[in-house]
Amino acid sequence: MDAENGKGEELAMMKLVEDVPPMPLVAQRVLQMSRNMEDIAVADLVKVVSTDPGLTSKVLATCNSPFFGLRNQVRTLSQAVVLLGVTAVRNLILLHSLPVHGRSKPSFEETSMWMHSMGAALAARHLAQRSKQADPEEAFLAGLLHDVGRLILSLTMGERYLTVFRSIYNKEGASIVLEQDAFGFNHAEVGELITRRWEFPEDLAGAVGRHHDDVSALSGLTLVVRAADEVTHWMGIGSRPTEQNEEVGAGTEALGLTPEELESARERIQLSLEQEMAVFQQAS
């Protein structure tokens, strides 16, 4: 019976992922182009994205947001690439293309999920810069998507998932345990499936799927994402704050972060979070 239940739960998870809309064609093309970042021709990238005027306007609006603090207004995608770099613009294109956007009035739970994802993206970028274990912009994107499974579960299951998420938010148990008990699968498994379906790079999909694995088996991008997730929970971004003296987690310990470095990371992330959340609200 257990084997039958397990098979049924796996099929349910697969069906759930299959029902999620694919990435738009422009985003798919950008992902294909970015597999070799060094070989991307700016003109080719601009040509592909310009076929979607709505996406182009959203990317330019984000480039001109206070977060980037550019002195002059960015009027074209070519200018955006020159000023911000190919990877940063690639990330904005993918951000604005995620099918989880478009809900006019996000719930408290959905807002909490986005805040946590945003905090983890900022933390991952900072930790990648400090540890040299991953490219900072790749780490930012992986941190942003590490809990995309939660957003998919919220989008497809509605209140049924949000009830479980409230327990996660209140730290009544480990997220993957609470989800596994309720559904027979968890957000990391769903996230890995969906990022593979959207054809994100293999190492990113692996980081999304494995960031809750035993730390001793993690390295590189996946370890950075694990540590970023821990730091974000420790700061209470998208969840109830931890106790003042609570340890951050095994991932940050594996990266060798000192208490002073953690405080520095906290300050940098907190300063950037409000502006970054404004950027993400434009993507909704």
Side-chain angles (χ1 to χ4, degrees):
M1 181 64 71
D2 288 342
E4 291 180 6
N5 287 341
K7 186 66 174 178
E9 290 161 350
E10 182 180 353
L11 290 173
M13 180 173 65
M14 297 296 292
K15 178 64 167 61
L16 181 149
V17 170
E18 288 172 2
D19 289 341
V20 175
M23 291 285 282
L25 289 175
V26 169
Q28 292 179 34
R29 179 63 182 134
V30 169
L31 268 175
Q32 292 169 356
M33 296 172 68
S34 65
R35 279 176 168 68
N36 294 303
M37 293 296 293
E38 295 179 359
D39 297 331
I40 290 182
V42 173
D44 291 340
L45 178 65
V46 170
K47 183 178 180 180
V48 169
V49 180
S50 296
T51 62
D52 187 333
L55 177 60
T56 299
S57 64
K58 288 180 180 179
V59 170
L60 292 178
T62 304
C63 290
N64 288 313
S65 69
F67 172 73
F68 287 105
L70 300 177
R71 293 184 178 182
N72 300 314
Q73 185 177 27
V74 177
R75 299 182 182 276
T76 68
L77 285 171
S78 296
Q79 286 181 313
V81 174
V82 169
L83 292 170
L84 301 176
V86 171
T87 305
V89 173
R90 186 276 309 267
N91 288 354
L92 290 178
I93 292 165
L94 297 177
L95 161 64
H96 285 288
S97 300
L98 290 176
V100 295
H101 287 308
R103 308 184 77 169
S104 56
K105 293 183 179 180
S107 66
F108 167 79
E109 292 85 358
E110 290 165 332
T111 300
S112 297
M113 292 178 207
W114 268 120
M115 285 189 67
H116 177 74
S117 295
M118 190 66 256
L122 290 165
R125 177 191 279 157
H126 176 73
L127 295 178
Q129 290 170 335
R130 181 245 172 230
S131 68
K132 311 297 184 187
Q133 291 225 15
D135 176 83
E137 288 303 324
E138 295 298 324
F140 179 91
L141 186 59
L144 174 66
L145 292 173
H146 83 289
D147 275 353
V148 70
R150 285 184 180 173
L151 292 164
I152 296 301
L153 289 168
S154 171
L155 186 69
T156 56
M157 302 180 76
E159 185 61 29
R160 201 175 152 217
Y161 180 72
L162 294 184
T163 298
V164 175
F165 177 76
R166 291 182 197 112
S167 296
I168 297 171
Y169 179 91
N170 289 317
K171 300 186 176 177
E172 296 173 7
S175 60
I176 56 173
V177 173
L178 292 171
E179 292 163 346
Q180 201 76 35
D181 289 345
F183 312 119
F185 50 83
N186 61 65
H187 72 273
E189 294 172 319
V190 172
E192 182 171 8
L193 282 175
I194 199 65
T195 47
R196 291 187 190 282
R197 182 167 183 258
W198 288 342
E199 298 184 359
F200 277 91
E202 181 68 24
D203 59 342
L204 186 146
V208 169
R210 297 184 56 221
H211 70 277
H212 285 289
D213 286 6
D214 189 283
V215 169
S216 63
L218 305 184
S219 62
L221 181 64
T222 307
L223 179 58
V224 168
V225 170
R226 167 62 173 269
D229 185 42
E230 292 174 353
V231 169
T232 311
H233 279 297
W234 176 65
M235 292 178 63
I237 299 173
S239 63
R240 288 196 181 280
T242 58
E243 297 295 328
Q244 185 173 3
N245 296 321
E246 185 173 333
E247 293 184 0
V248 182
T252 55
E253 183 178 349
L255 281 182
L257 292 175
T258 66
E260 292 77 18
E261 287 172 325
L262 280 171
E263 281 304 318
S264 174
R266 181 206 291 269
E267 292 173 6
R268 291 183 60 177
I269 294 165
Q270 201 64 54
L271 283 171
S272 299
L273 184 60
E274 184 175 338
Q275 292 177 324
E276 280 275 19
M277 283 304 295
V279 171
F280 272 70
Q281 288 166 2
Q282 294 177 31
S284 300

